[in-house]
Amino acid sequence: RKHLGGSNFARPALLYTAGCFLASLHHVSGFASAPKLSGLSLRDNGRSLTARAVCGSSSPLAPHPCAPLIERRYRFEKSSRTLQACQMSMQPNPSKGFNLPSKLRGVLFDMDGTLSDSEALHFQAYRIVFARMLPDHPANPISRDFYNANMAGKTKFISLSALLPEGGNSAEDIEKVATALEDEFSRLAKTDLKPLPGLLGLLDFLSEQGVRCGIVTNAPPTELEFGVDCLGLEGRFEALVPSSECSDAKPHPAPYLEGLRRLDLKSSEAFAVEDSLAGVRSAVDAGLVTIGVTTSRSEQELLDQGAAMTVADFSDAELWSSIRAALDKRS
């Protein structure tokens, strides 16, 4: 910092240099005993700049040409808001495979858009409710792009607080619209909600292998219980974690950290499955290898947020191969 100056632009550059140097140590012969690099932080007057290098190898140290993933992220954080100051990433080629935790003991799933393509139903619910209750709203008729940008992966309170017009966004107004959205979703889900292909088979296989599973969601508790019941998934998950029971909602890592705590797991013993950008960010920042499901976002959008790979559903052959490989290493 002394040589780069004291501006905010200099700080990410300093961390960029330091992060690259520390990451390179993991690929130099003779440093095999060095602990795996998990982060580098600089805190200044309540702000935090973070540089992280993640080496996606199952061994303590891999020669540089063999490392399948090197990711460096540099973030500028202030209070609860996260501003991206500088980011450089070398993303894996999804067709080349990736490494799941070698001590795999658990999987944490998001719910909406991950266990089923329920985001499509939430989108329809928003279209119907906004047209009926807020006919003059400028977003009507709501498009899927508008839904993805403003509602998908967020709590209804956060979405509606930003979208309801001034003078009509009191706590009572938000609760009234949120209740109407939940009722409309329930009506649609009773006939249209189905598990994603391959989900039930994967859950059966994980259970047989002694892998513990949980759900981590921004959905309210009533909607979480309804979704599990509607999909016929009762008793398949050892932990149900709505973000309302955590200190913060996604994209904060708190919900996934709480999921790990309830399953008595370390982040190095589990992976996450997500479909939203906020959800991927939450899981990645909790230290979890994360699989993106492309029900609502593109492959590249999910990879840009830190997903290790993407799948269309749970019948994906590469996903199954990676899970089996991780379980083989465990034994």
Side-chain angles (χ1 to χ4, degrees):
R1 180 177 176 183
K2 177 180 178 182
H3 297 290
L4 292 171
S7 69
N8 285 339
F9 295 101
R11 295 188 183 97
L14 176 62
L15 287 171
Y16 172 89
T17 303
C20 290
F21 170 72
L22 290 174
S24 69
L25 293 183
H26 281 260
H27 305 293
V28 178
S29 176
F31 281 86
S33 61
K36 187 172 183 178
L37 179 66
S38 60
L40 173 68
S41 294
L42 171 67
R43 295 192 176 275
D44 184 16
N45 296 328
R47 295 172 294 182
S48 172
L49 281 163
T50 302
R52 181 178 58 203
V54 179
C55 302
S57 170
S58 60
S59 60
L61 177 67
H64 185 275
C66 299
L69 171 62
I70 303 172
E71 181 187 50
R72 303 182 186 98
R73 294 187 181 276
Y74 312 95
R75 294 185 296 123
F76 175 79
E77 297 178 320
K78 185 175 182 180
S79 301
S80 61
R81 292 169 24 184
T82 300
L83 300 176
Q84 186 169 322
C86 177
Q87 177 176 333
M88 168 185 151
S89 63
M90 294 170 58
Q91 295 290 357
N93 184 333
S95 66
K96 297 294 184 180
F98 68 103
N99 291 323
L100 289 176
S102 58
K103 297 181 180 179
L104 182 59
R105 295 179 52 223
V107 183
L108 291 171
F109 295 85
D110 173 49
M111 184 175 72
D112 289 315
T114 299
L115 301 181
S116 66
D117 191 9
S118 53
E119 288 293 0
L121 302 185
H122 282 292
F123 165 57
Q124 290 298 326
Y126 266 98
R127 281 179 64 98
I128 293 168
V129 170
F130 266 53
R132 183 175 70 234
M133 299 182 69
L134 303 161
D136 298 325
H137 196 283
N140 284 329
I142 292 174
S143 68
R144 186 59 189 260
D145 286 343
F146 184 87
Y147 172 83
N148 286 345
N150 296 279
M151 293 92 153
K154 301 178 182 178
T155 66
K156 289 183 175 62
F157 181 82
I158 290 175
S159 297
L160 294 174
S161 295
L163 292 172
L164 294 187
E166 188 175 348
N169 60 351
S170 66
E172 183 178 349
D173 294 326
I174 291 172
E175 180 63 26
K176 187 182 299 184
V177 177
T179 299
L181 287 168
E182 290 183 26
D183 291 343
E184 187 62 36
F185 173 79
S186 297
R187 184 185 70 79
L188 294 169
K190 286 176 181 177
T191 55
D192 298 336
L193 193 65
K194 301 290 186 294
L196 278 189
L199 174 65
L200 299 182
L202 177 61
L203 291 176
D204 287 340
F205 176 72
L206 293 173
S207 177
E208 292 168 3
Q209 299 298 317
V211 177
R212 310 180 72 184
C213 294
I215 296 177
V216 178
T217 178
N218 269 350
T222 53
E223 207 167 279
L224 170 57
E225 293 173 8
F226 173 81
V228 169
D229 179 66
C230 198
L231 291 171
L233 300 176
E234 303 93 332
R236 289 182 175 267
F237 298 95
E238 295 184 47
L240 300 177
V241 186
S243 63
S244 59
E245 297 178 3
C246 306
S247 59
D248 286 283
K250 303 174 189 177
H252 195 279
Y256 275 101
L257 293 174
E258 176 63 14
L260 289 169
R261 187 191 70 79
R262 293 190 189 186
L263 291 179
D264 192 26
L265 297 173
K266 300 175 183 177
S267 60
S268 59
E269 299 173 323
F271 69 90
V273 189
E274 268 285 354
D275 75 299
S276 72
L277 303 188
V280 171
R281 190 73 264 150
S282 173
V284 170
D285 283 351
L288 289 159
V289 173
T290 305
I291 312 302
V293 182
T294 56
T295 51
S296 61
R297 292 289 185 169
S298 71
E299 175 181 88
Q300 194 56 53
E301 287 178 306
L302 296 169
L303 291 175
D304 286 344
Q305 289 300 309
M309 71 166 289
T310 64
V311 298
D313 56 48
F314 296 102
S315 63
D316 186 271
E318 184 184 348
L319 175 63
W320 277 82
S321 176
S322 298
I323 292 173
R324 287 193 174 99
L327 293 173
D328 287 343
K329 291 176 185 177
R330 183 182 67 173
S331 58

